[in-house]
Amino acid sequence: MNSPIELYGAITGNCLRAAIALEEAGIPYTPRHIDLSRGEQREPDYLAINPAGKVPALIDHSVEPALVLTQSNAIILYAAMKAPGTLCPNEEGAERARTYDRFLFFITDVIAPSHAAFFLRSAGLGEHAAPLDERALATLATADSFVTHSRFMAGAQFSMADISAFSMARFLEHQLNWEQLPNLLRWYNEMKNRPAVQRGLCAFD
Ligand SMILES: N[C@@H](CCC(=O)N[C@@H](CS)C(=O)NCC(=O)O)C(=O)O
């Protein structure tokens, strides 16, 4: 039987983050490629799914009416909810609280400024983007300390915090000063070698 979940997306950090989360959670889904260069995200069929004309978008047809999610990070949380224990520790306690803390750290302090910088560049205001780019990069670099004594970003268990961090480390791979970030480098290499991460990265090829 086909999976009731469809993931619309393209080869972008936001979409790959969502695909990696589904892969890591072991949730079957059908990837649907949206060609951004041809403006498919602004065609009526797609706007009926996400009126904002952005990817990713997830549709879960197993619920009635079908559930539509249009935020990459909400898709990660949905995957965590549907497959307990895979992306977030099951037990209430410090490790789960730290998972939320680190997940939100990467979203608000790294992804958000980087996204704002991208918006400024697309609006022809590239000269104003530099402080935001620098902030995203410098903040991501501080995550070296998260993995100095822990294998993963929130502790001993792989979690959604690793997914949000990985999507940005990959995006900024060529700007990070890896020589000064030995722990982050060890973690990043481990992430790249995870089979589910590799499958997620190919979701929209
Ligand atoms: N906050 C959203 C951002 C979605 C977003 O900005 N998507 C970009 C690609 S990464 C997009 O669809 N761009 C196409 C456009 O704006 O026309 C998320 O995390 O999913």
Side-chain angles (χ1 to χ4, degrees):
M1 190 186 105
N2 284 340
S3 161
I5 294 183
E6 295 175 291
L7 183 67
Y8 290 79
I11 303 176
T12 75
N14 288 329
C15 298
L16 297 177
R17 187 158 58 240
I20 289 170
L22 293 171
E23 294 284 354
E24 286 283 356
I27 298 172
Y29 65 101
T30 305
R32 305 267 186 227
H33 183 250
I34 295 292
D35 189 339
L36 299 179
S37 66
R38 291 182 48 218
E40 284 180 359
Q41 73 278 24
R42 289 187 293 274
E43 286 180 6
D45 283 357
Y46 189 73
L47 291 176
I49 297 167
N50 183 5
K54 306 264 180 210
V55 286
L58 175 147
I59 308 183
D60 186 347
H61 297 277
S62 72
V63 291
E64 182 59 39
L67 172 69
V68 179
L69 298 175
T70 60
Q71 289 294 323
S72 57
N73 299 300
I75 294 169
I76 294 174
L77 288 169
Y78 189 57
M81 189 177 89
K82 281 182 75 80
T86 57
L87 304 184
C88 189
N90 259 336
E91 283 168 34
E92 279 181 35
E95 191 144 332
R96 196 202 283 182
R98 201 179 309 113
T99 298
Y100 295 151
D101 187 61
R102 301 272 157 91
F103 179 60
L104 290 167
F105 168 85
F106 291 110
I107 293 171
T108 63
D109 294 6
V110 183
I111 296 173
S114 175
H115 192 258
F118 179 82
F119 173 77
L120 287 171
R121 274 194 298 277
S122 334
L125 297 167
E127 72 276 19
H128 299 296
L132 290 167
D133 279 328
E134 282 160 24
R135 175 155 183 227
L137 197 60
T139 310
L140 179 59
T142 67
D144 189 83
S145 67
F146 297 164
V147 285
T148 302
H149 301 295
S150 296
R151 182 170 168 197
F152 296 109
M153 283 294 166
Q157 182 178 329
F158 173 86
S159 75
M160 55 194 186
D162 294 291
I163 297 175
S164 53
F166 176 75
S167 66
M168 288 311 292
R170 189 166 178 273
F171 182 62
L172 297 171
E173 179 177 326
H174 301 296
Q175 283 135 273
L176 283 161
N177 188 347
W178 290 107
E179 279 177 19
Q180 291 180 11
L181 303 168
N183 304 297
L184 197 65
L185 180 61
R186 187 267 310 149
W187 165 88
Y188 184 56
N189 286 332
E190 185 174 343
M191 287 303 107
K192 282 198 292 194
N193 286 323
R194 289 177 74 88
V197 168
Q198 292 177 355
R199 287 195 302 275
L201 290 174
C202 297
F204 301 106
D205 286 359

